[in-house]
Amino acid sequence: MAEFVIKLADERGKVQEQTQTAASAEELRSRFVQAGYHVFSVKAKGGFGLGSKKKTKLEPFLIFNQQFLTLVRAGLPIHGSLEMLAKNQKNPHFAGQLINVTERVKSGESLSVAFEAQGGFPVMYTTTLLAGERSGNLQEVLERFVSFQRVSLTFRKKLTASLIYPCVLVVIVIALFIFLITFVVPSFAQLYDQMGSHLPALTVALLNFGVAAQHQGLYYGAAIAAILFGLSRYAKTPGGRDRVDGFRIGVPVFGKIWIKYQVALFGRTLSTLLTGGLPLVPSLETAARSISSNRIAKAVFASVVRVREGKSLAASLESTKVFPGVAIEMISVGEQTGALPQMLNSVSEFFEEDVETALTASMALIEPMILLVMGVFVVIILIALYLPIFSLGSVQQMG
């Protein structure tokens, strides 16, 4: 027997955390699920729990769910469909997870519990499956989730495509700068050493920098790599995630785009869960855990407390001072008209379009700025390198 910390919600949506003893995390989860609770997480006391495993990539997971939905529609049993799809998976890790899910389902576990026990699957997915199992509409719930995933993947691909060209430009600028400093500048340093002429201060500074970069470049590179590695490790800690998210939100122009993107993700996730029949409070909890932004996730968790006290969702979100006013107004209208899931979808569509437009406009400004910066650096380096030659030529003409 071992001790586990279990986070769960009862039928009224009240969230609580308990310490329980059980033979395994799966056994404890199954016990509370059968008792009618919604289990958010089960973690070994003092350990890492189930959520620290490798995450499943969005695109292959979408393909799997599309195939799974097709087989379920055709009337095949769930364990048979999972077994068939596991054999066709190219990713051995994902295939192993599906085989384990199949074995659990055959032994009597529910599909949502079997998937959640694997770790690495989206919280929204297991919660959606649970809602489908309770309502008896697993096929309908899967259709909504596949639709949600398809829209999310399409939107993410659009954002990625818009960032490719600026990233390529930045890489070219950095590569050109390294080439000039480590190869071109040291060659000029040797030339001017042989000439023994008096050099301008700008040229001397550039030559010294170039020679140092050529001889100690590997040490500089190793130091930069070590710093970046340390920062990446720190960014995975709770405090680091919070500071990184605060930095992202505080960046001019892009901070607002980041917030709008997270609000769009929150709205679509919450809409999908509510349409699947899940109560508002557990849906908010799950939506908060699906958001990448620490600050916005904390704001949603804070709003859960107010919603449980009887306040409206719009008023609860407004009190966090994080969500844009347009989103609050649209959610308020949705609550008043009884069409909250539909209005949340509208919120997502509105902000997705806004993000796409703002990002396109920002990239249109950033691309020429990158080219301008690259041009200025190249011009400064060329002037510093050729200034002594021009000076020498003018002196000879005067002589």
Side-chain angles (χ1 to χ4, degrees), residues 115-129:
F115 267 106
E116 195 163 1
Q118 305 306 309
F121 290 104
V123 177
M124 181 187 168
Y125 183 63
T126 53
T127 309
T128 301
L129 289 178

Side-chain angles (χ1 to χ4, degrees), residues 5-26:
V5 178
I6 181 168
K7 187 177 181 181
L8 47 83
D10 58 21
E11 292 180 352
R12 296 181 179 180
K14 184 179 180 182
V15 180
Q16 52 186 300
E17 203 170 74
Q18 300 179 9
T19 301
Q20 297 284 339
T21 304
S24 66
E26 288 80 5

Side-chain angles (χ1 to χ4, degrees), residues 358-386:
L359 201 58
T360 304
S362 301
M363 291 301 105
L365 290 173
I366 284 175
E367 288 163 14
M369 285 179 64
I370 294 172
L371 293 173
L372 181 63
V373 169
M374 180 173 67
V376 168
F377 270 114
V378 171
V379 168
I380 291 172
I381 290 171
L382 291 178
I383 289 174
L385 291 178
Y386 284 98

Side-chain angles (χ1 to χ4, degrees), residues 26-41:
E26 288 80 5
E27 187 268 326
L28 181 61
R29 183 186 299 275
S30 180
R31 187 200 311 168
F32 277 90
V33 168
Q34 289 173 5
Y37 290 91
H38 170 64
V39 179
F40 289 107
S41 64

